[in-house]
Every structure is written in C-alpha cells, then in structure tokens.
Amino acid sequence: SAEGGKNNDEEVSEDKIKHVDKEDISTVDNNEKNQDENSEPSAVENSAESEENNQTSNEILPTAAQSEILTESTTQNGAWSTQAEESQNEKKWQQASISNEENDHQWKVCKSTAGPDYIPCLDNWQVIRKLPSTKHYEHRERHCPSEPPTCLVPLPEGYKRSIKWPKSRDKIWYYNVPHTKLAEVKGHQNWVKVTGEYLTFPGGGTQFKNGALHYIDFLQQSVPDIAWGKRSRVILDVGCGVASFGGYLFERDVLAMSFAPKDEHEAQVQFALERGIPAILNVMGTKRLPFPSSVFDVVHCARCRVPWHVEGGKLLLELNRVLRPGGYFIWSATPVYQKLPEDV
C-alpha cells in the first residue's frame, strides 16, 4: 500500500506538470502521432492524458454557472489578456493609487481671496486677462489651469449639513451660501429672501412674479401641446438664476437641467445646488454646450439676457442642435411689470 501511495503521488505531480505545460505536451504528442500513426497504445495514452488534464482544469477553474467572465474570456493563444485579468489589474492599480495618495499627498486649503467661492476653472485670471476679447462672454467660460490644482476649497464659516429635499427647495442654511446681494437686488421679485438663519425661496423670478408654478401652468395653458410630464419631460433652462423654474417642474414630472454664469449677481447656481436642483455654471458664449444633440424636449429662456441675434443667430443654432425634432423653444421676455393692456 505504501508503494501504491507513492505511485499515486507521482501520478498527481505528473498531472500538475502536464496541466502547466499542456501546449508543450500536445506538441510532443502530435510529433509522436506523426511518427507512428498506427500505434493504438499511443492514441489510448493521449486520450487518457487529455481526460486527466480536463479533469484537473475543471477542478482549478470554476464552472460556467459560477463565473461567466472566466468562461467567456479564456485566452486563445496567449496574445490578449482576459477581461478577468484586466479587472483584477485595474483593482490593484486603484488600491495602489489610493494608498499612494494617502501616504504621499497632503491636501492644503486653496490660497485664494475668493474663499469658498473659488472655482479653479472660472477664476483663472491669468488666462482671462490675456483674452483678446470679452464681447462673446469668453471671460465667463471655463478656462481650466494646465495643471489642475491639488487644494481644497474652504467651507464657509458656520457651514452646516445641507437641508434635505424636498424642504431644501424652499429654504437653505444662510451660512452655507452666505450671500445677500441677490436678495437685495432681486428681493422685490421674490427670488430669494434672508429669513433669520435661512435663505428662503418663495418661487418667484424676474419673469414669474406670481411664482414659478403659476408660470409653468400658464405656459401649458398657452400651448397645451407642451404637456408637462408627458410630451415634455426633459428640459434645458438657460440663464436659470436660482433655478426655481427647474425646482418646481419636479411637481409636473419634468426633469430640468438649469445653467447660469458666475456673473455680477454672484454664483447663482450655488443657490440651486444647495437647494438640490440639477444645475451647472455655464454661459452661451463661444463654446458648444456640453450636451449631445437632440436630447431636450424643451429649451426655456425667461429674461435670460442672451444676445440671440449676434453672429447671425449662431446661439439659436446651438439650441436647435440640442433640441429634439418637434421640441419647443420657449423665450419669455414680456415686460410683465408694465401696466399697459398690450403688455399685460
């Protein structure tokens, strides 16, 4: 029995060697077949070896039910790595980079007079001062530094965890976006008001003095085919201000992407983001909008102060690119504060 055990151990070790050097063994076997095609013992031996190799392979690798990736991505001739290997390498690389960042890099606060309002790609004054012209609002566009900054923008003093949606649509902590200029300039239009430790948003705007929801319903009454939530479900709001229009469209099952520049009325989009409304800092200038073509059901502009007529209507052509066929461009610019009958 001892001799039998030794023989079994030797067979197992031979099987392992055969599994590792399968291609070499198969080459030798093919040569042996060519030398003696009529040798039956040789053929029987080869079939036995292949069965043993397959059995060993099945023991090492999981079954198809257990792992589709390994089954579907087996390397044919060793020329390409499998998807499983790529995934493992990616995980190793990510872990290594995370550990390197933790060990090697110490994050510092950005040295900027703008404080919490510092935005590297918009406050890049070295590039902005060298612009040949600003008539197309180039100075409001993104000009990212050649080397991205590795610093942290400081939180405002007294910052608190943001109020959760849906309450955040109507009020946010004052110290999270401690700006009052917009409340002073646009206070009579119900954009934003300072209420104790909160900034409150009554839902008004330059164009909708009776509130965003009243304005939204008025648009559908004017053009019933807009059909909020049915025919019109994804919209783009140009020059959004504090994005109350997009915030109230949620009640009509509509998702709005709002954008406005960082202009003399402060970074209004910061109010929108703190409220929990989808928005980006952007401007209709010399660059294409960062959206694919034909993706919006409606493009909306309420007193957005965009010079649509310049450059032969180039900006209108850009809106036409992102607007789907059959979609609506809503340009609302009636002087709503006039009392004359034709204006009303």
Side-chain angles (χ1 to χ4, degrees), residues 135-137 284-285 301 304-319 329 331:
K135 67 177 183 178
H136 295 111
Y137 295 89
M284 295 290 292
C301 156
C304 56
R305 295 168 56 188
V306 175
W308 299 114
H309 62 287
V310 300
E311 303 291 335
K314 186 182 290 185
L315 301 181
L316 286 173
L317 292 174
E318 173 61 0
L319 290 190
F329 172 48
W331 182 29

Side-chain angles (χ1 to χ4, degrees), residues 165-196:
W165 183 270
K167 291 182 179 178
S168 62
R169 186 187 68 178
D170 301 321
K171 64 179 182 179
I172 61 174
W173 296 113
Y174 167 75
Y175 286 106
N176 287 13
V177 191
H179 298 309
T180 58
K181 184 177 179 181
L182 201 59
E184 294 163 5
V185 175
K186 302 285 187 180
H188 64 291
Q189 298 174 5
N190 286 331
W191 281 39
V192 56
K193 293 182 180 295
V194 180
T195 310

Side-chain angles (χ1 to χ4, degrees), residues 133-271:
S133 168
T134 59
K135 67 177 183 178
H136 295 111
Y137 295 89
E138 296 93 333
H139 57 300
R140 305 291 187 197
E141 294 177 330
R142 293 170 65 85
H143 301 282
C144 296
S146 54
E147 292 186 8
T150 54
C151 61
L152 295 175
V153 177
L155 288 172
E157 240 181 276
Y159 185 88
K160 298 182 181 180
R161 183 180 291 276
S162 301
I163 297 172
K164 291 184 178 180
W165 183 270
K167 291 182 179 178
S168 62
R169 186 187 68 178
D170 301 321
K171 64 179 182 179
I172 61 174
W173 296 113
Y174 167 75
Y175 286 106
N176 287 13
V177 191
H179 298 309
T180 58
K181 184 177 179 181
L182 201 59
E184 294 163 5
V185 175
K186 302 285 187 180
H188 64 291
Q189 298 174 5
N190 286 331
W191 281 39
V192 56
K193 293 182 180 295
V194 180
T195 310
E197 58 181 349
Y198 298 104
L199 288 171
T200 55
F201 300 87
T206 305
Q207 190 60 21
F208 27 96
K209 61 179 183 179
N210 295 319
L213 207 55
H214 175 271
Y215 173 76
I216 289 165
D217 292 338
F218 174 76
L219 289 176
Q220 183 159 313
Q221 290 170 13
S222 304
V223 187
D225 285 347
I226 287 177
W228 296 123
K230 296 176 182 177
R231 192 178 189 276
S232 303
R233 302 184 65 184
V234 183
I235 81 159
L236 179 67
D237 188 20
V238 181
C240 64
V242 296
S244 288
F245 182 67
Y248 279 89
L249 275 170
F250 281 124
E251 291 194 17
R252 299 293 180 260
D253 294 326
V254 178
L255 179 64
M257 169 53 71
S258 307
F259 74 81
K262 184 181 180 182
D263 60 9
E264 64 272 12
H265 291 146
E266 302 158 331
Q268 302 169 32
V269 168
Q270 288 193 35
F271 292 103

